[in-house]
Amino acid sequence: MGAQDRRTANKATDGTAPRVIRRRPRDRRAQIAAVSAEAFGSLGYHGVSMEDIASRLDISSAALYRHYPSKYALFREEALRLGALSEAAVRDNASSAPSETRLTQVIDALIASSITNRRSAALLRWQRRYLDEADTATLNNQLATVNSALTSLLGQTRPELPEVDLSVLAAAVLSVLSSIGDHHVSVPVRALHALLSTACRAVAASTLPPPVHAETVVASEIPETFKHELLLARAIELFHERGYPNVSVEDIAAAAGLPGSSTVYRFYRGKGDILAAAFRRVADRVSAAIGPAVAAADSPEQALRTVIELYVAGSFAERALTFVYYAEISNVPADERTVLRNIQRLNVEEWAKLLVGARPALSAAEARLLVHAALALVVDLGQRFGSDDPACSRERVVHLMRVVLFG
């Protein structure tokens, strides 16, 4: 039977539309993993169900369960796959070339992996806290291998630096190259790779300011009469420690020393409303700094330098809030999320305009991408070193942001 005969045989004999024969793709398992990783990254681990993933793939839930026994199995496999890819990038470039060449090779390999897996990267950056203890240990070992290899190469190229400075620079390089998972700025792949490579190499070659023992900032006590502020502060702490899905309204009330959840509802409509209030606070803080900085500056570069300092100061003062602002956007109620994303986008646009004013050779998209990379440094270095470690003081974070933005 020829091809035409087979097509004819598949047609219904009663005049209706021909029967569609659907065949399972050969790479179905990989397709499922990629789609699920993107879903986890954009909606959060707890915001995605197996039914959601099956719907995105246009298959039944039963077909999905034939490949993976649970949502966690999917999540675990993709998280550890991404960790293994980063580990392979540093292992496969262990050549006998000079250390400067090997450092460039490793950075380029990590960037290539980050670009290839960009749509899945948010899973590893913000959702890995939901791995169980054993899988967290496995992932941490993978990432420790990457960090150790990069730190070692930096030490070989810059033997004059102390170990602690090498650790800060390695963490900053990894932050820059992985930051593209936080946004959707579109830049052609070749230009994207070149831009990230230039920024990473500038960070690797930078000289950090001397470490400063900063005074510990003690948060002022919130009067019990300011219950809405007390609730917001305690909720942010809990969201940071446990993750938004693992915190209840009752938990927030108890942390604030209030008698029960009914007290919370006098001030906020629910847990989602508290999270949205936290996001609005950060967005307003960032927006409010731009206007005065521009008005008082003599040039776009000077204005951007001032904005950077204000942003870092605010972030150091509210570390938990800064992390929540990045990690929990998928849990903000949908109507609020649209508004907040628009505010975030406008804030980045304002930073990017100042950057283009200082570096006219950059396109608007390239400037936005570098702004996102600089902003990511604040939260990534904060997670790694905290606010009180002199190795990663405010002055050093400001310096690294400037290196990424200005070169």
Side-chain angles (χ1 to χ4, degrees):
M1 180 183 291
Q4 180 62 44
D5 296 325
R6 285 195 295 273
R7 285 194 294 270
T8 303
N10 287 332
K11 292 182 179 179
T13 56
D14 59 0
T16 60
R19 180 168 58 91
V20 177
I21 299 176
R22 300 179 63 181
R23 293 181 174 83
R24 184 185 304 172
R26 292 181 180 179
D27 61 344
R28 172 65 84 192
R29 189 177 176 89
Q31 186 183 54
I32 291 171
V35 169
S36 64
E38 184 180 355
F40 291 140
S42 61
L43 300 176
Y45 174 69
H46 290 281
V48 178
S49 68
M50 291 291 269
E51 290 71 24
D52 294 331
I53 296 169
S55 177
R56 288 180 178 225
L57 290 159
D58 194 24
I59 62 176
S60 67
S61 297
L64 184 57
Y65 279 107
R66 282 199 293 269
H67 292 276
Y68 292 92
S70 66
K71 181 176 79 168
Y72 183 80
L74 257 171
F75 176 66
R76 172 191 181 277
E77 180 169 305
E78 187 62 8
L80 297 186
R81 183 188 75 86
L82 292 170
L85 286 174
S86 293
E87 194 176 26
V90 300
R91 185 181 60 246
D92 295 344
N93 284 278
S95 67
S96 58
S99 55
E100 292 84 357
T101 302
R102 285 186 285 125
L103 177 61
T104 299
Q105 289 172 342
V106 165
I107 289 175
D108 284 344
L110 288 168
I111 291 172
S113 177
S114 184
I115 292 173
T116 300
N117 296 280
R118 181 178 182 178
R119 297 172 73 183
S120 306
L123 177 155
L124 204 58
R125 283 175 67 72
W126 308 117
Q127 302 300 314
R128 69 191 198 199
R129 66 166 66 187
Y130 301 116
L131 289 169
D132 67 25
E133 187 175 348
D135 293 330
T136 295
T138 300
L139 178 61
N140 286 343
N141 286 336
Q142 292 172 329
L143 299 180
T145 298
V146 175
N147 186 73
S148 177
L150 189 56
T151 303
S152 177
L153 279 172
L154 282 168
Q156 292 171 41
T157 60
R158 306 190 63 189
E160 77 282 2
L161 294 183
E163 185 71 20
V164 66
D165 285 14
L166 296 172
S167 296
V168 173
L169 294 179
V173 167
L174 292 172
S175 173
V176 169
L177 64 87
S178 63
S179 65
I180 58 173
D182 295 338
H183 57 86
H184 301 285
V185 176
S186 180
V187 175
V189 171
R190 184 173 297 180
L192 173 57
H193 191 121
L195 197 63
L196 290 174
S197 180
T198 299
C200 287
R201 285 187 281 111
V203 167
S206 65
T207 300
L208 295 169
V212 176
H213 289 270
E215 294 183 8
T216 302
V217 178
V218 179
S220 57
E221 286 295 319
I222 301 173
E224 291 190 5
T225 52
F226 287 20
K227 288 186 172 61
H228 65 291
E229 281 293 319
L230 190 64
L231 285 166
L232 182 60
R234 297 297 177 265
I236 291 168
E237 292 169 1
L238 291 174
F239 296 156
H240 179 228
E241 292 169 6
R242 305 181 192 174
Y244 175 86
N246 295 331
V247 177
S248 67
V249 173
E250 290 74 17
D251 294 332
I252 296 170
L258 301 177
S261 58
S262 59
T263 310
V264 177
Y265 293 117
R266 295 177 191 172
F267 303 96
Y268 297 97
R269 290 172 296 179
K271 190 174 69 164
D273 196 35
I274 298 175
L275 183 62
F279 268 74
R280 285 195 296 272
R281 177 153 299 183
V282 179
D284 290 344
R285 184 185 75 199
V286 176
S287 300
I290 297 173
V294 172
D298 295 328
S299 67
E301 180 173 344
Q302 183 183 346
L304 188 50
R305 287 177 178 272
T306 301
V307 171
I308 290 169
E309 291 176 359
L310 293 172
Y311 181 79
V312 173
S315 297
F316 267 66
E318 298 181 288
R319 277 298 197 193
L321 179 56
T322 301
F323 179 82
V324 168
Y325 185 68
Y326 268 80
E328 303 292 358
I329 184 65
S330 63
N331 291 305
V332 174
D335 55 338
E336 290 274 7
R337 193 186 315 146
T338 300
V339 174
L340 287 166
R341 283 205 182 278
N342 286 336
I343 295 173
Q344 289 176 331
R345 193 174 295 111
L346 288 172
N347 284 335
V348 170
E349 289 284 351
E350 291 301 319
W351 280 54
K353 287 177 185 176
L354 294 175
L355 182 55
V356 170
R359 297 180 60 185
L362 290 174
S363 69
E366 289 171 336
R368 290 197 301 273
L369 189 135
L370 289 177
V371 167
H372 279 292
L375 294 173
L377 280 171
V378 182
V379 67
D380 288 339
L381 295 177
Q383 283 295 105
R384 173 74 185 277
F385 296 95
S387 298
D388 302 323
D389 190 338
C392 202
S393 61
R394 281 172 48 178
E395 292 78 7
R396 288 186 158 202
V397 175
V398 166
H399 169 79
L400 288 168
M401 289 184 72
R402 288 173 175 170
V403 168
V404 168
L405 292 174
F406 301 125

